[in-house]
Amino acid sequence: MKNTDLTSSDVRKLKQMSHSNGAYVIIGKSGLTDEVLKQLDKELEYHELVKIRCNKFKEQREEFAQQLRDITKSVLLAVTGNVILLYRRSKDEKRHIL
């Protein structure tokens, strides 16, 4: 399964799973730094499903969501409030949540 092969039921299941997960990556006052991008890539590989909290950039969250999706080659599942939800299938089959 590729990231682009998600069905609507897969998306719904991933969104439900995200309710029990905390925000793994926080975009702070420095914005999208290299450290944030490295951390996000690491978390996506390990967890596959990652919440990103935009504490200081609520007005730019849609723009950040598109940039993060493109940079990490992930699927943008939702932008709700100041939280962005991304999914990317791990290379390690043991880590697959779908």
Side-chain angles (χ1 to χ4, degrees), residues 3-4 6 11 69 72-78 85-88:
N3 284 337
T4 55
L6 294 177
V11 171
R69 180 200 64 202
T72 62
K73 296 178 177 74
S74 58
V75 176
L76 176 61
L77 297 175
L85 183 61
L86 294 178
Y87 169 79
R88 184 179 74 195

Side-chain angles (χ1 to χ4, degrees), residues 77-95:
L77 297 175
V79 178
T80 308
N82 62 344
V83 176
I84 301 166
L85 183 61
L86 294 178
Y87 169 79
R88 184 179 74 195
R89 193 155 177 90
S90 176
K91 295 171 189 157
D92 184 0
E93 289 187 24
K94 297 175 194 169
R95 300 217 174 267

Side-chain angles (χ1 to χ4, degrees), residues 20-94:
S20 62
N21 293 346
Y24 290 111
V25 177
I26 297 173
I27 299 174
K29 62 184 174 182
S30 299
L32 289 179
T33 63
D34 286 340
E35 290 79 26
V36 168
L37 295 175
K38 286 178 189 175
Q39 182 67 25
L40 177 58
D41 190 57
K42 179 180 161 185
E43 295 295 338
L44 280 166
E45 183 58 34
Y46 187 80
H47 294 286
E48 292 189 333
L49 184 64
V50 178
K51 286 182 181 178
I52 301 108
R53 187 172 301 277
C54 301
N55 287 339
K56 303 288 182 186
F57 298 94
K58 293 179 184 175
E59 309 81 37
Q60 296 172 294
R61 69 183 182 272
E62 292 285 341
E63 179 185 330
F64 281 173
Q66 301 301 323
Q67 289 176 347
L68 292 171
R69 180 200 64 202
D70 295 341
I71 292 168
T72 62
K73 296 178 177 74
S74 58
V75 176
L76 176 61
L77 297 175
V79 178
T80 308
N82 62 344
V83 176
I84 301 166
L85 183 61
L86 294 178
Y87 169 79
R88 184 179 74 195
R89 193 155 177 90
S90 176
K91 295 171 189 157
D92 184 0
E93 289 187 24
K94 297 175 194 169

